[in-house]
Amino acid sequence: MSEAMTAANLARRVAQKEKVRILYRRALKDTLNWVVHRHLFHQDASDLREKFEANKHVEDPDTVDKMIAAGEAAYNKWRHPDPYIVPWAPGGSKFTRNPVPPSGV
């Protein structure tokens, strides 16, 4: 019974780490939408990293789940309404602007 419990706890912990990693990456990428200059971005990125590092020591799985939910709620609240899209990426202003001409032309 304890091996199954340990495996379940390990699986939950791995899933939590993945959620935190994804949340951090999304928040970091969204910071680029809010900050125009790189020197300001580096400061904001450092502040974001400090927020995540401050809670690195938390071990209780229920507390971690609550913190992840609170972090996702804060991210959704402060997410940029008009994110930057690279011009040649899907949704960008230059995406498929010059399509390949038909083969018979």
Side-chain angles (χ1 to χ4, degrees):
M1 180 74 176
S2 68
E3 286 183 25
M5 191 103 158
T6 304
N9 286 340
L10 181 62
R12 183 177 180 189
R13 184 76 173 148
V14 168
Q16 287 174 338
K17 284 184 180 183
E18 183 70 12
K19 284 181 183 178
V20 170
R21 185 186 63 82
I22 290 170
L23 178 62
Y24 175 72
R25 288 196 62 191
R26 283 190 310 177
L28 189 61
K29 287 180 181 181
D30 194 57
T31 302
L32 280 170
N33 294 325
W34 288 102
V35 180
V36 178
H37 301 290
R38 280 289 175 173
H39 67 281
L40 298 174
F41 166 73
H42 291 301
Q43 181 60 43
D44 286 355
S46 178
D47 294 343
L48 180 66
R49 181 69 180 198
E50 286 177 9
K51 288 178 185 177
F52 276 80
E53 290 287 335
N55 297 313
K56 191 175 183 177
H57 67 280
V58 178
E59 294 290 331
D60 181 38
D62 295 329
T63 305
V64 173
D65 283 337
K66 289 177 186 174
M67 293 172 79
I68 290 171
E72 288 176 346
Y75 169 73
N76 288 329
K77 180 179 179 185
W78 295 107
R79 188 168 51 183
H80 198 281
D82 188 22
Y84 177 76
I85 300 172
V86 179
W88 52 86
S93 61
K94 292 183 180 179
F95 185 67
T96 66
R97 179 179 284 178
N98 298 317
V100 179
S103 60
V105 176

